[in-house]
Amino acid sequence: MKYMVRVNKLAVGKTRGEPRSVRAIATRIAKQHGVSYKRTYADAWADNVTQISGDPVIHDDTNDLLVALKRAGAITGPQMVRMLTLHLTKKDKFRVRSLRRL
């Protein structure tokens, strides 16, 4: 992992040569705050809209946990976005390449 991000004093990414996953950090923060993901009506609606648009509905435990942490106020919006970006760039299905200036 190229970058390191600090969330609630916990480092995500490479620290002292050892990678720490977003999943591990999110799980630790969730335990500290007693947070777990609970599906809401809005989540069901978003799944239905995604399905109707023809896209597959793919659930990911880490994504759901990050949403729950944000809803509970355990992490901020920008922290959630950074962690979600790091998580998705590590997944093979969602490889993201950086844009180059032309």
Side-chain angles (χ1 to χ4, degrees):
M1 190 173 296
K2 199 173 188 180
Y3 303 102
M4 197 242 333
V5 176
R6 289 205 176 278
V7 178
N8 293 356
K9 299 181 184 173
L10 300 171
V12 178
K14 264 192 181 169
T15 58
R16 296 189 190 127
E18 294 191 25
R20 296 182 79 183
S21 71
V22 171
R23 170 180 247 140
I25 297 300
T27 302
R28 181 184 274 179
I29 295 170
K31 284 180 183 175
Q32 287 175 348
H33 293 273
V35 173
S36 64
Y37 176 73
K38 289 180 181 48
R39 195 163 163 76
T40 65
Y41 176 78
D43 296 330
W45 178 84
D47 286 351
N48 288 333
V49 170
T50 301
Q51 198 170 24
I52 289 169
S53 72
D55 291 334
V57 176
I58 302 170
H59 288 277
D60 181 280
D61 292 339
T62 304
N63 292 356
D64 292 342
L65 188 55
L66 289 171
V67 168
L69 289 170
K70 169 64 177 87
R71 287 177 182 165
I75 60 175
T76 65
Q79 288 172 329
M80 184 186 88
V81 170
R82 277 188 244 130
M83 291 177 74
L84 187 57
T85 302
L86 286 171
H87 174 64
L88 291 176
T89 56
K90 293 304 275 181
K91 291 179 77 163
D92 290 334
K93 261 188 186 177
F94 299 103
R95 281 285 177 212
V96 178
R97 66 179 176 83
S98 50
L99 299 173
R100 290 187 240 172
R101 287 190 170 166
L102 298 177

Short mmCIF file of all heavy atoms in Angstrom, two decimals, residues 36-96:
data_model
loop_
_atom_site.label_atom_id
_atom_site.label_comp_id
_atom_site.label_asym_id
_atom_site.label_seq_id
_atom_site.Cartn_x
_atom_site.Cartn_y
_atom_site.Cartn_z
N SER A 36 -22.38 -1.82 14.97
CA SER A 36 -22.52 -2.90 13.99
C SER A 36 -23.46 -2.41 12.89
O SER A 36 -24.25 -1.49 13.10
CB SER A 36 -23.07 -4.17 14.63
OG SER A 36 -24.36 -3.95 15.11
N TYR A 37 -23.36 -3.01 11.72
CA TYR A 37 -24.17 -2.59 10.59
C TYR A 37 -25.59 -3.13 10.72
O TYR A 37 -25.78 -4.31 10.97
CB TYR A 37 -23.56 -3.08 9.27
CG TYR A 37 -24.39 -2.78 8.06
CD1 TYR A 37 -24.48 -1.49 7.57
CD2 TYR A 37 -25.11 -3.78 7.42
CE1 TYR A 37 -25.26 -1.20 6.47
CE2 TYR A 37 -25.89 -3.50 6.32
CZ TYR A 37 -25.96 -2.20 5.84
OH TYR A 37 -26.73 -1.93 4.75
N LYS A 38 -26.54 -2.25 10.59
CA LYS A 38 -27.95 -2.64 10.57
C LYS A 38 -28.56 -2.07 9.30
O LYS A 38 -28.51 -0.87 9.07
CB LYS A 38 -28.67 -2.10 11.81
CG LYS A 38 -28.24 -2.82 13.07
CD LYS A 38 -28.96 -2.27 14.28
CE LYS A 38 -28.55 -2.95 15.56
NZ LYS A 38 -27.16 -3.10 15.81
N ARG A 39 -29.12 -2.94 8.51
CA ARG A 39 -29.72 -2.56 7.24
C ARG A 39 -30.93 -1.64 7.46
O ARG A 39 -31.76 -1.90 8.31
CB ARG A 39 -30.14 -3.83 6.51
CG ARG A 39 -30.44 -3.65 5.08
CD ARG A 39 -30.42 -5.01 4.42
NE ARG A 39 -31.08 -4.98 3.15
CZ ARG A 39 -30.55 -4.46 2.06
NH1 ARG A 39 -29.35 -3.93 2.10
NH2 ARG A 39 -31.21 -4.46 0.93
N THR A 40 -31.01 -0.57 6.68
CA THR A 40 -32.10 0.38 6.80
C THR A 40 -32.98 0.34 5.55
O THR A 40 -32.62 -0.29 4.54
CB THR A 40 -31.58 1.82 6.97
OG1 THR A 40 -30.89 2.20 5.76
CG2 THR A 40 -30.64 1.94 8.16
N TYR A 41 -34.10 1.03 5.62
CA TYR A 41 -34.98 1.14 4.47
C TYR A 41 -34.24 1.78 3.30
O TYR A 41 -34.41 1.38 2.14
CB TYR A 41 -36.22 1.96 4.85
CG TYR A 41 -37.15 2.20 3.68
CD1 TYR A 41 -38.01 1.20 3.25
CD2 TYR A 41 -37.15 3.42 3.01
CE1 TYR A 41 -38.86 1.40 2.18
CE2 TYR A 41 -37.99 3.63 1.93
CZ TYR A 41 -38.84 2.62 1.52
OH TYR A 41 -39.66 2.83 0.45
N ALA A 42 -33.41 2.78 3.58
CA ALA A 42 -32.65 3.46 2.53
C ALA A 42 -31.68 2.49 1.84
O ALA A 42 -31.45 2.59 0.63
CB ALA A 42 -31.89 4.65 3.11
N ASP A 43 -31.11 1.56 2.60
CA ASP A 43 -30.21 0.57 2.02
C ASP A 43 -30.97 -0.33 1.05
O ASP A 43 -30.49 -0.64 -0.05
CB ASP A 43 -29.56 -0.29 3.10
CG ASP A 43 -28.67 0.52 4.03
OD1 ASP A 43 -28.09 1.52 3.58
OD2 ASP A 43 -28.57 0.14 5.21
N ALA A 44 -32.17 -0.77 1.45
CA ALA A 44 -32.99 -1.62 0.58
C ALA A 44 -33.40 -0.85 -0.67
O ALA A 44 -33.38 -1.40 -1.78
CB ALA A 44 -34.23 -2.09 1.35
N TRP A 45 -33.75 0.42 -0.51
CA TRP A 45 -34.12 1.25 -1.65
C TRP A 45 -32.96 1.38 -2.62
O TRP A 45 -33.13 1.23 -3.84
CB TRP A 45 -34.56 2.63 -1.15
CG TRP A 45 -34.93 3.57 -2.27
CD1 TRP A 45 -36.12 3.66 -2.91
CD2 TRP A 45 -34.07 4.54 -2.86
NE1 TRP A 45 -36.06 4.64 -3.87
CE2 TRP A 45 -34.81 5.19 -3.88
CE3 TRP A 45 -32.75 4.93 -2.65
CZ2 TRP A 45 -34.28 6.21 -4.67
CZ3 TRP A 45 -32.22 5.93 -3.44
CH2 TRP A 45 -32.98 6.56 -4.44
N ALA A 46 -31.75 1.64 -2.10
CA ALA A 46 -30.57 1.78 -2.95
C ALA A 46 -30.29 0.48 -3.71
O ALA A 46 -29.93 0.51 -4.90
CB ALA A 46 -29.36 2.17 -2.11
N ASP A 47 -30.45 -0.66 -3.05
CA ASP A 47 -30.27 -1.95 -3.73
C ASP A 47 -31.27 -2.12 -4.86
O ASP A 47 -30.92 -2.59 -5.95
CB ASP A 47 -30.41 -3.11 -2.74
CG ASP A 47 -29.20 -3.26 -1.83
OD1 ASP A 47 -28.18 -2.58 -2.07
OD2 ASP A 47 -29.29 -4.06 -0.88
N ASN A 48 -32.53 -1.75 -4.60
CA ASN A 48 -33.56 -1.87 -5.63
C ASN A 48 -33.28 -0.97 -6.82
O ASN A 48 -33.44 -1.38 -7.97
CB ASN A 48 -34.95 -1.57 -5.05
CG ASN A 48 -35.44 -2.67 -4.15
OD1 ASN A 48 -35.05 -3.82 -4.30
ND2 ASN A 48 -36.29 -2.32 -3.21
N VAL A 49 -32.87 0.26 -6.57
CA VAL A 49 -32.55 1.19 -7.65
C VAL A 49 -31.36 0.66 -8.46
O VAL A 49 -31.37 0.70 -9.70
CB VAL A 49 -32.24 2.60 -7.10
CG1 VAL A 49 -31.66 3.50 -8.18
CG2 VAL A 49 -33.49 3.21 -6.50
N THR A 50 -30.37 0.13 -7.79
CA THR A 50 -29.21 -0.44 -8.47
C THR A 50 -29.62 -1.61 -9.35
O THR A 50 -29.19 -1.72 -10.51
CB THR A 50 -28.16 -0.91 -7.43
OG1 THR A 50 -27.76 0.22 -6.64
CG2 THR A 50 -26.94 -1.50 -8.11
N GLN A 51 -30.46 -2.46 -8.81
CA GLN A 51 -30.92 -3.63 -9.54
C GLN A 51 -31.77 -3.23 -10.76
O GLN A 51 -31.59 -3.77 -11.85
CB GLN A 51 -31.73 -4.53 -8.61
CG GLN A 51 -31.89 -5.94 -9.11
CD GLN A 51 -32.48 -6.81 -8.02
OE1 GLN A 51 -33.16 -6.33 -7.10
NE2 GLN A 51 -32.25 -8.10 -8.12
N ILE A 52 -32.65 -2.27 -10.58
CA ILE A 52 -33.50 -1.81 -11.69
C ILE A 52 -32.67 -1.18 -12.80
O ILE A 52 -32.99 -1.31 -13.97
CB ILE A 52 -34.56 -0.81 -11.16
CG1 ILE A 52 -35.59 -1.56 -10.32
CG2 ILE A 52 -35.24 -0.06 -12.30
CD1 ILE A 52 -36.53 -0.66 -9.54
N SER A 53 -31.57 -0.53 -12.42
CA SER A 53 -30.71 0.11 -13.42
C SER A 53 -29.90 -0.90 -14.21
O SER A 53 -29.23 -0.57 -15.18
CB SER A 53 -29.78 1.13 -12.77
OG SER A 53 -28.78 0.47 -12.03
N GLY A 54 -29.95 -2.17 -13.78
CA GLY A 54 -29.24 -3.22 -14.52
C GLY A 54 -27.87 -3.57 -13.96
O GLY A 54 -27.18 -4.41 -14.51
N ASP A 55 -27.49 -2.91 -12.88
CA ASP A 55 -26.20 -3.21 -12.27
C ASP A 55 -26.37 -4.28 -11.19
O ASP A 55 -27.42 -4.36 -10.55
CB ASP A 55 -25.60 -1.95 -11.63
CG ASP A 55 -25.17 -0.93 -12.66
OD1 ASP A 55 -24.87 -1.33 -13.80
OD2 ASP A 55 -25.14 0.27 -12.33
N PRO A 56 -25.34 -5.09 -11.00
CA PRO A 56 -25.45 -6.11 -9.95
C PRO A 56 -25.33 -5.47 -8.56
O PRO A 56 -24.61 -4.49 -8.38
CB PRO A 56 -24.25 -7.02 -10.21
CG PRO A 56 -23.27 -6.17 -10.92
CD PRO A 56 -24.08 -5.17 -11.72
N VAL A 57 -26.04 -6.02 -7.60
CA VAL A 57 -25.96 -5.56 -6.22
C VAL A 57 -24.90 -6.41 -5.53
O VAL A 57 -25.06 -7.62 -5.40
CB VAL A 57 -27.32 -5.70 -5.50
CG1 VAL A 57 -27.18 -5.31 -4.04
CG2 VAL A 57 -28.37 -4.86 -6.18
N ILE A 58 -23.81 -5.78 -5.14
CA ILE A 58 -22.69 -6.48 -4.51
C ILE A 58 -22.54 -5.93 -3.10
O ILE A 58 -22.28 -4.74 -2.91
CB ILE A 58 -21.39 -6.30 -5.30
CG1 ILE A 58 -21.57 -6.81 -6.73
CG2 ILE A 58 -20.23 -7.01 -4.61
CD1 ILE A 58 -20.44 -6.46 -7.66
N HIS A 59 -22.70 -6.81 -2.12
CA HIS A 59 -22.53 -6.38 -0.73
C HIS A 59 -21.13 -6.75 -0.25
O HIS A 59 -20.58 -7.78 -0.62
CB HIS A 59 -23.57 -7.06 0.17
CG HIS A 59 -24.94 -6.51 -0.06
ND1 HIS A 59 -25.38 -5.36 0.53
CD2 HIS A 59 -25.96 -6.94 -0.84
CE1 HIS A 59 -26.61 -5.10 0.14
NE2 HIS A 59 -26.99 -6.06 -0.70
N ASP A 60 -20.57 -5.89 0.56
CA ASP A 60 -19.24 -6.10 1.10
C ASP A 60 -19.30 -5.75 2.58
O ASP A 60 -19.74 -4.66 2.94
CB ASP A 60 -18.25 -5.19 0.35
CG ASP A 60 -16.83 -5.35 0.83
OD1 ASP A 60 -16.51 -4.75 1.89
OD2 ASP A 60 -16.04 -6.05 0.18
N ASP A 61 -18.88 -6.66 3.43
CA ASP A 61 -18.95 -6.43 4.88
C ASP A 61 -18.18 -5.19 5.33
O ASP A 61 -18.63 -4.45 6.21
CB ASP A 61 -18.44 -7.65 5.64
CG ASP A 61 -19.34 -8.86 5.48
OD1 ASP A 61 -20.53 -8.67 5.14
OD2 ASP A 61 -18.86 -9.98 5.69
N THR A 62 -17.02 -4.95 4.72
CA THR A 62 -16.20 -3.80 5.12
C THR A 62 -16.90 -2.50 4.72
O THR A 62 -16.94 -1.55 5.51
CB THR A 62 -14.80 -3.89 4.50
OG1 THR A 62 -14.21 -5.13 4.89
CG2 THR A 62 -13.92 -2.75 4.97
N ASN A 63 -17.45 -2.45 3.51
CA ASN A 63 -18.19 -1.25 3.08
C ASN A 63 -19.34 -0.97 4.04
O ASN A 63 -19.55 0.17 4.45
CB ASN A 63 -18.76 -1.44 1.67
CG ASN A 63 -17.70 -1.50 0.60
OD1 ASN A 63 -16.52 -1.33 0.86
ND2 ASN A 63 -18.13 -1.76 -0.61
N ASP A 64 -20.10 -2.02 4.35
CA ASP A 64 -21.24 -1.86 5.25
C ASP A 64 -20.80 -1.37 6.63
O ASP A 64 -21.45 -0.51 7.23
CB ASP A 64 -22.01 -3.18 5.39
CG ASP A 64 -22.72 -3.59 4.11
OD1 ASP A 64 -22.90 -2.72 3.23
OD2 ASP A 64 -23.08 -4.77 3.99
N LEU A 65 -19.70 -1.90 7.13
CA LEU A 65 -19.20 -1.48 8.44
C LEU A 65 -18.76 -0.02 8.42
O LEU A 65 -19.01 0.73 9.38
CB LEU A 65 -18.05 -2.39 8.89
CG LEU A 65 -17.56 -2.18 10.31
CD1 LEU A 65 -18.69 -2.31 11.32
CD2 LEU A 65 -16.47 -3.19 10.64
N LEU A 66 -18.13 0.41 7.34
CA LEU A 66 -17.73 1.81 7.22
C LEU A 66 -18.95 2.73 7.22
O LEU A 66 -18.95 3.79 7.86
CB LEU A 66 -16.89 2.04 5.96
CG LEU A 66 -15.48 1.43 6.00
CD1 LEU A 66 -14.83 1.52 4.62
CD2 LEU A 66 -14.61 2.10 7.05
N VAL A 67 -20.01 2.32 6.54
CA VAL A 67 -21.26 3.10 6.54
C VAL A 67 -21.83 3.18 7.95
O VAL A 67 -22.25 4.24 8.42
CB VAL A 67 -22.29 2.49 5.56
CG1 VAL A 67 -23.66 3.10 5.75
CG2 VAL A 67 -21.82 2.66 4.13
N ALA A 68 -21.81 2.05 8.66
CA ALA A 68 -22.33 2.03 10.04
C ALA A 68 -21.50 2.93 10.95
O ALA A 68 -22.06 3.63 11.81
CB ALA A 68 -22.32 0.60 10.57
N LEU A 69 -20.19 2.93 10.79
CA LEU A 69 -19.32 3.79 11.60
C LEU A 69 -19.62 5.26 11.34
O LEU A 69 -19.66 6.07 12.27
CB LEU A 69 -17.85 3.48 11.33
CG LEU A 69 -17.34 2.14 11.85
CD1 LEU A 69 -15.94 1.85 11.30
CD2 LEU A 69 -17.35 2.11 13.36
N LYS A 70 -19.85 5.62 10.09
CA LYS A 70 -20.18 7.00 9.74
C LYS A 70 -21.53 7.38 10.33
O LYS A 70 -21.69 8.46 10.90
CB LYS A 70 -20.18 7.16 8.21
CG LYS A 70 -20.76 8.46 7.70
CD LYS A 70 -19.94 9.65 8.16
CE LYS A 70 -20.46 10.95 7.58
NZ LYS A 70 -21.51 11.58 8.37
N ARG A 71 -22.52 6.50 10.19
CA ARG A 71 -23.86 6.78 10.73
C ARG A 71 -23.82 6.98 12.24
O ARG A 71 -24.55 7.80 12.78
CB ARG A 71 -24.81 5.63 10.40
CG ARG A 71 -25.24 5.57 8.97
CD ARG A 71 -26.12 4.36 8.72
NE ARG A 71 -26.51 4.27 7.32
CZ ARG A 71 -27.01 3.19 6.76
NH1 ARG A 71 -27.21 2.10 7.48
NH2 ARG A 71 -27.33 3.19 5.49
N ALA A 72 -22.95 6.22 12.91
CA ALA A 72 -22.86 6.30 14.37
C ALA A 72 -21.99 7.48 14.83
O ALA A 72 -21.92 7.76 16.02
CB ALA A 72 -22.29 5.00 14.92
N GLY A 73 -21.32 8.14 13.90
CA GLY A 73 -20.46 9.26 14.27
C GLY A 73 -19.09 8.84 14.78
O GLY A 73 -18.36 9.64 15.33
N ALA A 74 -18.73 7.57 14.58
CA ALA A 74 -17.42 7.09 15.04
C ALA A 74 -16.30 7.54 14.12
O ALA A 74 -15.15 7.66 14.54
CB ALA A 74 -17.43 5.56 15.13
N ILE A 75 -16.63 7.79 12.85
CA ILE A 75 -15.67 8.35 11.90
C ILE A 75 -16.38 9.47 11.14
O ILE A 75 -17.60 9.52 11.08
CB ILE A 75 -15.11 7.30 10.91
CG1 ILE A 75 -16.23 6.67 10.07
CG2 ILE A 75 -14.29 6.25 11.63
CD1 ILE A 75 -15.74 5.71 8.99
N THR A 76 -15.59 10.35 10.55
CA THR A 76 -16.16 11.47 9.78
C THR A 76 -16.38 11.03 8.33
O THR A 76 -15.87 9.99 7.90
CB THR A 76 -15.21 12.68 9.80
OG1 THR A 76 -14.01 12.33 9.12
CG2 THR A 76 -14.91 13.14 11.23
N GLY A 77 -17.10 11.85 7.59
CA GLY A 77 -17.32 11.57 6.17
C GLY A 77 -16.02 11.46 5.39
O GLY A 77 -15.82 10.48 4.65
N PRO A 78 -15.10 12.44 5.52
CA PRO A 78 -13.84 12.33 4.80
C PRO A 78 -13.02 11.09 5.19
O PRO A 78 -12.37 10.48 4.35
CB PRO A 78 -13.09 13.62 5.18
CG PRO A 78 -14.19 14.58 5.50
CD PRO A 78 -15.27 13.76 6.14
N GLN A 79 -13.06 10.70 6.46
CA GLN A 79 -12.36 9.48 6.89
C GLN A 79 -12.98 8.26 6.22
O GLN A 79 -12.27 7.37 5.76
CB GLN A 79 -12.41 9.33 8.41
CG GLN A 79 -11.54 10.31 9.15
CD GLN A 79 -11.75 10.26 10.65
OE1 GLN A 79 -12.84 9.95 11.13
NE2 GLN A 79 -10.70 10.57 11.39
N MET A 80 -14.31 8.22 6.16
CA MET A 80 -14.98 7.10 5.52
C MET A 80 -14.59 7.01 4.05
O MET A 80 -14.30 5.93 3.54
CB MET A 80 -16.50 7.22 5.64
CG MET A 80 -17.23 6.02 5.06
SD MET A 80 -19.01 6.19 5.01
CE MET A 80 -19.23 6.98 3.44
N VAL A 81 -14.59 8.15 3.37
CA VAL A 81 -14.24 8.16 1.94
C VAL A 81 -12.81 7.67 1.74
O VAL A 81 -12.54 6.86 0.85
CB VAL A 81 -14.43 9.57 1.34
CG1 VAL A 81 -13.85 9.66 -0.06
CG2 VAL A 81 -15.91 9.94 1.33
N ARG A 82 -11.87 8.14 2.56
CA ARG A 82 -10.47 7.70 2.44
C ARG A 82 -10.35 6.21 2.67
O ARG A 82 -9.66 5.50 1.93
CB ARG A 82 -9.58 8.46 3.42
CG ARG A 82 -9.17 9.81 2.89
CD ARG A 82 -8.13 10.45 3.79
NE ARG A 82 -8.77 11.65 4.34
CZ ARG A 82 -8.80 11.99 5.61
NH1 ARG A 82 -8.21 11.27 6.51
NH2 ARG A 82 -9.42 13.07 6.00
N MET A 83 -11.00 5.72 3.71
CA MET A 83 -10.91 4.28 4.03
C MET A 83 -11.59 3.44 2.95
O MET A 83 -11.07 2.39 2.56
CB MET A 83 -11.53 4.01 5.40
CG MET A 83 -10.71 4.58 6.54
SD MET A 83 -11.48 4.31 8.14
CE MET A 83 -11.18 2.57 8.38
N LEU A 84 -12.71 3.90 2.46
CA LEU A 84 -13.42 3.17 1.41
C LEU A 84 -12.58 3.13 0.13
O LEU A 84 -12.49 2.09 -0.53
CB LEU A 84 -14.78 3.82 1.14
CG LEU A 84 -15.71 3.10 0.20
CD1 LEU A 84 -15.99 1.69 0.68
CD2 LEU A 84 -17.01 3.86 0.07
N THR A 85 -11.95 4.23 -0.21
CA THR A 85 -11.08 4.28 -1.39
C THR A 85 -9.92 3.31 -1.24
O THR A 85 -9.61 2.55 -2.17
CB THR A 85 -10.55 5.71 -1.61
OG1 THR A 85 -11.66 6.60 -1.76
CG2 THR A 85 -9.67 5.78 -2.84
N LEU A 86 -9.27 3.31 -0.08
CA LEU A 86 -8.17 2.37 0.15
C LEU A 86 -8.66 0.93 0.06
O LEU A 86 -7.99 0.07 -0.53
CB LEU A 86 -7.54 2.61 1.53
CG LEU A 86 -6.65 3.84 1.66
CD1 LEU A 86 -6.28 4.08 3.11
CD2 LEU A 86 -5.41 3.69 0.82
N HIS A 87 -9.81 0.66 0.62
CA HIS A 87 -10.36 -0.70 0.61
C HIS A 87 -10.66 -1.16 -0.83
O HIS A 87 -10.31 -2.26 -1.23
CB HIS A 87 -11.62 -0.76 1.46
CG HIS A 87 -12.33 -2.07 1.40
ND1 HIS A 87 -11.76 -3.24 1.86
CD2 HIS A 87 -13.55 -2.42 0.91
CE1 HIS A 87 -12.61 -4.25 1.68
NE2 HIS A 87 -13.70 -3.76 1.10
N LEU A 88 -11.31 -0.30 -1.60
CA LEU A 88 -11.69 -0.67 -2.96
C LEU A 88 -10.49 -0.81 -3.89
O LEU A 88 -10.50 -1.65 -4.78
CB LEU A 88 -12.69 0.33 -3.53
CG LEU A 88 -14.07 0.31 -2.90
CD1 LEU A 88 -14.95 1.41 -3.49
CD2 LEU A 88 -14.73 -1.05 -3.06
N THR A 89 -9.45 -0.02 -3.68
CA THR A 89 -8.27 -0.14 -4.54
C THR A 89 -7.51 -1.43 -4.28
O THR A 89 -6.76 -1.88 -5.14
CB THR A 89 -7.32 1.07 -4.38
OG1 THR A 89 -6.95 1.20 -3.02
CG2 THR A 89 -7.95 2.34 -4.89
N LYS A 90 -7.71 -2.04 -3.13
CA LYS A 90 -7.04 -3.31 -2.82
C LYS A 90 -7.81 -4.51 -3.36
O LYS A 90 -7.27 -5.59 -3.46
CB LYS A 90 -6.85 -3.48 -1.31
CG LYS A 90 -5.90 -2.49 -0.69
CD LYS A 90 -4.55 -2.53 -1.35
CE LYS A 90 -3.69 -3.61 -0.75
NZ LYS A 90 -2.36 -3.65 -1.37
N LYS A 91 -9.08 -4.32 -3.70
CA LYS A 91 -9.88 -5.42 -4.21
C LYS A 91 -9.60 -5.62 -5.70
O LYS A 91 -9.54 -4.66 -6.46
CB LYS A 91 -11.38 -5.14 -4.01
CG LYS A 91 -11.80 -5.17 -2.56
CD LYS A 91 -13.25 -4.87 -2.41
CE LYS A 91 -14.01 -6.10 -2.80
NZ LYS A 91 -15.40 -6.09 -2.34
N ASP A 92 -9.44 -6.86 -6.12
CA ASP A 92 -9.15 -7.16 -7.53
C ASP A 92 -10.25 -6.69 -8.46
O ASP A 92 -9.99 -6.20 -9.55
CB ASP A 92 -8.92 -8.66 -7.72
CG ASP A 92 -7.63 -9.12 -7.08
OD1 ASP A 92 -6.72 -8.29 -6.95
OD2 ASP A 92 -7.53 -10.30 -6.71
N LYS A 93 -11.51 -6.85 -8.06
CA LYS A 93 -12.63 -6.47 -8.91
C LYS A 93 -12.68 -4.98 -9.18
O LYS A 93 -13.16 -4.55 -10.20
CB LYS A 93 -13.94 -6.85 -8.23
CG LYS A 93 -14.52 -8.11 -8.71
CD LYS A 93 -15.89 -8.26 -8.09
CE LYS A 93 -16.46 -9.61 -8.44
NZ LYS A 93 -17.73 -9.83 -7.82
N PHE A 94 -12.22 -4.19 -8.23
CA PHE A 94 -12.37 -2.75 -8.32
C PHE A 94 -11.03 -2.04 -8.47
O PHE A 94 -10.83 -1.01 -7.88
CB PHE A 94 -13.09 -2.21 -7.07
CG PHE A 94 -14.46 -2.77 -6.91
CD1 PHE A 94 -14.70 -3.77 -5.98
CD2 PHE A 94 -15.50 -2.33 -7.68
CE1 PHE A 94 -15.96 -4.29 -5.81
CE2 PHE A 94 -16.76 -2.84 -7.54
CZ PHE A 94 -17.00 -3.83 -6.60
N ARG A 95 -10.14 -2.60 -9.24
CA ARG A 95 -8.84 -1.94 -9.42
C ARG A 95 -9.06 -0.54 -9.97
O ARG A 95 -9.75 -0.35 -10.97
CB ARG A 95 -7.97 -2.73 -10.39
CG ARG A 95 -7.33 -3.91 -9.75
CD ARG A 95 -6.19 -3.45 -8.87
NE ARG A 95 -5.62 -4.61 -8.21
CZ ARG A 95 -5.10 -4.58 -7.03
NH1 ARG A 95 -5.03 -3.47 -6.36
NH2 ARG A 95 -4.60 -5.65 -6.50
N VAL A 96 -8.47 0.41 -9.33
CA VAL A 96 -8.59 1.82 -9.75
C VAL A 96 -7.20 2.29 -10.12
O VAL A 96 -6.26 2.10 -9.39
CB VAL A 96 -9.14 2.68 -8.58
CG1 VAL A 96 -9.22 4.13 -9.00
CG2 VAL A 96 -10.50 2.16 -8.14
#
